[in-house]
Amino acid sequence: MIKTAKRQVSASRSVQAPVGGLNAKDAIANMDETEATVMVNWFPGAADVSIRNGHTSHATGLPGAVDTVMAYNFGATQTLFAISGGSIYNVTAAGAVGAAVMSSLSNSRFQHIIMGTAGGNFLMAVNGIDKLRGWDGSAWWTDGDGAHDITGLDTATVSHINNFKNRVWLIQNNTMKAWYLPVSSIAGAAAALDLSTVFKLGGYLMAMANWTIDNAAGIDDYAAFITSEGEVAIYQGTDPSSATTWALKGTFRTGRPIGRRCAIKVASDVMLLTTDGAFPLSKALLTDRTQLQGAVTDKIVNLFTTDVRSYSERFGWQAILHPTGSKLIVNVPSSEGSTSHQYVMNTITGAWTKFTGWNAFCWELMDDVLYFGGSTKVFKADTGGDDNGNNIETDVQQAFSYFGMPGVQKKFTMVRPIFLSEGGITPALKLNVDFESKTPTGTPSFTANSNALWDVSDWDTTDWASGDNILKQWQAAFGVGYAAGLRITTASKNISLRWQATDIVFERGGVL
């Protein structure tokens, strides 16, 4: 009798971890397999996907929600202030705060700048209700104290402040007036630039930003004035009182800006948080509101616009760039004064993700350390391996793959995610088929590495950790369908975990 070789019926395929990040735009059946339909507390890198860093308490004992954190930098002097409960506190040092350095403020929601003059660097802040406050590096002052007087304008009506070409600019509440001080001055007579005739849609000035443009005439800074209705006017020049040195260069329209903290400088461009998404002004200038592909948030447009509809009137919207973390962070206040989440973009790859567990009301960067204000505390963010002593909990659903056979039914039998970790971790897994969105039923667990971290812990006291281990354990995963995508949840503390790829085993069937 002649024996014939048994035909192999199982096949395996490897899929890279979802380094393409969160996709909340494309049809689920048309996504790249290296993207994700759900991605929470994972950070997509260029080569793998890792659990995000944690956050830790920095300053405690504040009286309420910390709505403003302000950094002062001058030479070797770096000072961090937090505003909570209508008072300003010095929170440079970690631990419980001392007495307030300034009290009796009407609210804690300030906009601030650093203004440099021949006399030094000055922190200046406004909130639309109280007189302008300032810090000279050693003491606080209030506009009108006899030594720092701004005349011609009541700074208690100023809700936004900017520094453009060595002038302080002040946006007056609910008007189209932008006021400016003399060159290189933090006080003196304020003069008004009335933009009422420039804008056609009404509203009021919301913010001002500095936009650097490189054209045939060379590199120059332009002043961008943004209204509550999304109109933008661009001016070039130095002295608004002189027609020869100040000129309107153009106007255009974008989505309505969200809050006073709607604009940040990103390289030479300005990114504007609007109801249509986060737009660089350079892209908004070339398109209109029907062409949203120019938005930085284009890949997560459906999530972003849903949040705008739900939360746009709440305080806490802010974008901040964290260069050393390769992150652009957009803060979304899902519950004002309570909870928030963030959309985070890898500035190297452009991939997006969503962070939860950082309940931030405001953000600031000092000495490349990222801080946020929370409830009665200021936290350091993007640091450590836990959320202020709690587990970091993650969830990800990788986009579905047909494994090169879109019209062929498959019986899936096993999966093997491949991780690099210095500890032990057992994630909960669910292989979803044909666009299911079921979450794993198991409970994730972990075993922390108790050895010392290399070059972090003291030398010659304990054994060093052995470094990353490769975790690649096969698990049963039954499902019948045409496409499949792995869903993973984890809960861990002080463990680095980097997802490399996933091996999936299936048996090939027929068309039906």
Side-chain angles (χ1 to χ4, degrees):
M1 183 175 63
I2 299 175
K3 293 184 178 180
T4 58
K6 192 173 183 179
R7 185 174 65 89
Q8 182 175 347
V9 294
S10 293
S12 65
R13 295 289 186 273
S14 294
V15 180
Q16 187 181 8
V19 294
L22 188 59
N23 186 337
K25 175 188 176 183
D26 297 324
I28 192 171
N30 197 38
M31 291 183 187
D32 190 283
E33 64 182 18
T34 60
E35 295 176 332
T37 61
V38 175
M39 182 173 278
V40 178
N41 290 337
W42 291 87
F43 185 67
D48 53 30
V49 179
S50 59
I51 294 178
R52 67 154 170 82
N53 293 327
H55 74 284
T56 184
S57 176
H58 171 71
T60 63
L62 292 125
V66 179
D67 288 333
T68 305
V69 179
M70 306 181 294
Y72 172 84
N73 297 283
F74 181 52
T77 303
Q78 294 181 321
T79 311
L80 195 67
F81 295 100
I83 310 181
S84 173
S87 296
I88 303 176
Y89 297 85
N90 188 325
V91 295
T92 309
V97 299
V101 297
M102 183 165 283
S103 301
S104 302
L105 300 171
S106 301
N107 71 43
S108 303
R109 298 173 179 181
F110 279 73
Q111 319 306 317
H112 62 279
I113 62 166
I114 297 290
M115 177 65 185
T117 72
N121 275 23
F122 302 91
L123 175 64
M124 304 175 71
V126 297
N127 70 352
I129 301 178
D130 299 300
K131 289 282 192 179
L132 180 146
R133 262 52 175 188
W135 165 261
D136 64 8
S138 60
W140 280 91
W141 83 83
T142 301
D143 170 36
D145 64 359
H148 308 87
D149 295 353
I150 296 174
T151 60
L153 168 67
D154 182 1
T155 57
T157 65
V158 172
S159 52
H160 185 82
I161 187 168
N162 190 44
N163 177 357
F164 177 71
K165 291 198 171 177
N166 215 23
R167 287 183 190 268
V168 174
W169 285 79
L170 306 161
I171 304 297
Q172 192 172 13
N173 288 342
N174 302 318
T175 72
M176 287 291 186
K177 289 184 178 180
W179 298 73
Y180 56 94
L181 297 183
V183 174
S184 300
S185 178
I186 59 171
L193 176 66
D194 193 340
L195 301 175
S196 300
T197 61
V198 175
F199 297 111
K200 310 304 181 185
L201 299 178
Y204 51 87
L205 285 178
M206 179 70 81
M208 178 186 178
N210 304 345
W211 185 12
T212 305
I213 300 178
D214 184 6
N215 55 28
I219 299 176
D220 196 8
D221 280 341
Y222 289 69
F225 296 94
I226 304 136
T227 75
S228 59
E229 301 306 304
E231 288 186 282
V232 182
I234 305 299
Y235 280 84
Q236 183 183 25
T238 56
D239 184 0
S241 67
S242 171
T244 60
T245 62
W246 184 260
L248 176 65
K249 291 300 180 180
T251 61
F252 57 93
R253 187 182 179 192
T254 184
R256 290 182 294 106
I258 307 175
R260 296 286 178 180
R261 298 169 181 172
C262 57
I264 64 164
K265 190 83 169 177
V266 179
S268 63
D269 214 334
V270 173
M271 194 184 78
L272 190 63
L273 282 183
T274 78
T275 53
D276 294 342
F279 275 89
L281 287 186
S282 58
K283 296 291 182 66
L285 175 65
L286 303 175
T287 61
D288 61 31
R289 294 190 66 185
T290 65
Q291 298 174 291
L292 303 182
Q293 293 82 3
V296 175
T297 51
D298 180 54
K299 203 70 172 179
I300 56 169
V301 59
N302 290 327
L303 287 174
F304 190 91
T305 54
T306 297
D307 283 349
V308 166
R309 287 193 296 269
S310 300
Y311 313 128
S312 63
E313 299 302 318
R314 296 178 181 173
F315 172 82
W317 286 84
Q318 184 182 352
I320 189 167
L321 189 65
H322 182 29
T324 58
S326 302
K327 295 177 178 68
L328 173 66
I329 300 171
V330 177
N331 197 65
V332 180
S334 50
S335 178
E336 188 171 308
S338 178
T339 58
S340 63
H341 60 266
Q342 297 78 38
Y343 295 115
V344 182
M345 187 187 79
N346 184 322
T347 55
I348 298 173
T349 67
W352 284 92
T353 184
K354 180 180 178 179
F355 286 178
T356 62
W358 293 356
N359 292 317
F361 311 144
C362 62
W363 293 83
E364 183 64 299
L365 195 68
M366 187 175 78
D367 196 25
D368 279 337
V369 177
L370 187 65
Y371 297 88
F372 70 82
S375 177
T376 71
K377 295 180 181 180
V378 174
F379 296 91
K380 285 184 180 180
D382 206 24
T383 184
D386 63 71
D387 274 342
N388 201 34
N390 297 314
N391 289 345
I392 299 174
E393 298 182 351
T394 75
D395 186 9
V396 60
Q397 170 66 64
Q398 186 154 7
F400 290 82
S401 174
Y402 290 103
F403 305 99
M405 296 174 280
V408 177
Q409 194 175 58
K410 309 163 189 74
K411 184 173 82 170
F412 299 95
T413 57
M414 300 183 73
V415 296
R416 181 175 66 175
I418 301 173
F419 300 107
L420 293 180
S421 176
E422 85 280 4
I425 191 163
T426 303
L429 306 179
K430 170 64 178 175
L431 187 69
N432 282 317
V433 298
D434 292 351
F435 319 118
E436 295 174 328
S437 59
K438 297 178 180 177
T439 56
T441 56
T443 301
S445 62
F446 69 97
T447 303
N449 192 327
S450 60
N451 289 336
L453 297 179
W454 171 257
D455 214 22
V456 174
S457 301
D458 293 335
W459 285 64
D460 298 325
T461 57
T462 57
D463 293 333
W464 296 118
S466 59
D468 284 340
N469 301 311
I470 300 176
L471 308 178
K472 50 178 183 178
Q473 183 175 358
W474 286 105
Q475 296 191 37
F478 178 78
V480 176
Y482 296 91
L486 184 62
R487 187 151 191 171
I488 298 177
T489 60
T490 69
S492 62
K493 185 190 301 184
N494 299 322
I495 288 182
S496 69
L497 184 71
R498 292 180 289 152
W499 184 11
Q500 309 294 309
T502 302
D503 296 330
I504 300 178
V505 175
F506 58 88
E507 296 177 11
R508 177 175 175 170
V511 176
L512 299 177

